[in-house]
Amino acid sequence: VASVTTAAARAAAEAVRRTPEQLEVLARAGVVDAGGRGLSIILDALAAATGGTPAGGIGWARHEPLEDALPEDVRHDSDDFEYEVVYLLECESAPAATLADALRAVGDSVVVAAGDHHREGPLLHKVHVHVNDIGAAIEAGIRVGAVSGIEVTRFADRTTGVARDTSGVGIVAIAPGDALREVFEAEGAWVVDSGPNRRPSTAEVLAAIEAAGTAKVAVLPNDRDCAAVADAAAGEAREKGIEVSVVPTKSVVQGLAALAVHDDDRYFGDDVMAMAEAAAGTRYAEVTVAAREALTMAGTCRPGDVLGLVGADVVTIGRSILEVTISLLDMLLATGGELVTLVVGRRAPEGLADDLETDLSVRHPEIELVVLAGGHLDHPVLLGVE
């Protein structure tokens, strides 16, 4: 087993090293294939776990981009056309040649590059063109095959040409559900969607940072699992000259608390500090329903059990969402609190907010309750205590 896993790890590392020679876009960017590198890491781990020798493989650092990987006229912005359109097209080779002629009629810098020539059936092509009429470029592709992965860039918005507001501060928030999106957008934030089994990509967060149009941007991850993506996007944005700070918000309710104290007129560093302090001063919890049997800190849960989590830990198990929500609130309020934020998801039972308000009015009359319709699917209830 050790010799087989060692051989597999070495072969994978060599295959990753050769990927820039096999795909032009990788050579142009000076990187190796990300998915291949991920598989190579897994095989290295397998080799180490079975007594073999990991290959190590190529490092994470970028390599020198190959500037001659594309013709000169494709590598630069266009003086005559306003937009760059790129998409994937699945079609036969002959229609692809027809598409190139159609694109030259509406734009320039046309590239229709075929992918894997060894597979049967339609081929996957990468299409690139500079145009003023975006719709015409996309419709030309639709006429000959199946179009996907459309990317449109306005040359005026490239980093060297973006006119940014140097006085204001942009806010980018990651949030699940249409209702929560509306809450953040109402406060002027640019929202990146998350949700059940979905985490936004670095590219999505970076696009929102750039769309904010300000020289300074604060990012609210609002989820433990989104923090790394937010940090990566912030790093790329800084390379483009945008000052970005990631506020350590681990829950939507912490993000709401941070946004509530945001002040455009405050010095950026002080504003970020105030948002971070507001987030840190907000204790949070969530209610979810177990999908499978598992051993937790609160005991064994079974499918259908209602779980109360504080941070990443299950602290209570019950049969009723209301029961678990009240139990969580008692824990959060044990060390004091003035304001409770209740975010109600789609899976919450009808009347939950009213029942909770009645309970709080009797046992904690000093507490102010704010109820928000979250619209998200993954958690019936999110709680915050400030």
Side-chain angles (χ1 to χ4, degrees), residues 222-278:
N222 298 336
D223 190 305
R224 295 182 301 274
D225 296 334
C226 293
V229 170
D231 287 335
E236 293 193 26
R238 293 185 193 108
E239 291 179 3
K240 298 186 176 188
I242 307 172
E243 186 177 351
V244 183
S245 286
V246 178
V247 182
T249 55
K250 300 177 182 178
S251 169
V252 168
V253 290
Q254 285 193 330
L256 293 170
L259 194 55
V261 301
H262 163 59
D263 185 350
D264 248 347
D265 297 328
R266 189 189 285 134
Y267 176 68
F268 182 56
D270 292 341
D271 192 39
V272 170
M273 182 65 70
M275 287 191 284
E277 288 176 352

Side-chain angles (χ1 to χ4, degrees), residues 174 176 192-202 204-205 223-227 229 378-379:
I174 299 173
V192 181
D193 286 326
S194 64
N197 302 316
R198 184 189 187 278
R199 292 291 177 263
S201 66
T202 300
E204 288 176 284
V205 179
D223 190 305
R224 295 182 301 274
D225 296 334
C226 293
V229 170
D378 44 353
H379 296 99

Side-chain angles (χ1 to χ4, degrees), residues 139-181:
E139 289 169 6
I142 292 174
R143 283 195 292 269
V144 299
V147 172
S148 63
I150 300 171
E151 299 177 12
V152 178
T153 304
R154 190 165 74 102
F155 291 127
D157 288 342
R158 289 192 187 275
T159 305
T160 54
V162 172
R164 294 193 170 272
D165 177 5
T166 57
S167 60
V169 174
I171 302 292
V172 171
I174 299 173
D178 294 338
L180 283 173
R181 164 183 280 275

Side-chain angles (χ1 to χ4, degrees), residues 5-31:
T5 56
T6 296
R10 289 176 179 170
E14 173 60 20
V16 170
R17 187 194 65 77
R18 292 174 47 232
T19 52
E21 303 168 12
Q22 299 167 321
L23 193 59
E24 188 176 271
V25 67
L26 299 178
R28 195 166 67 244
V31 298

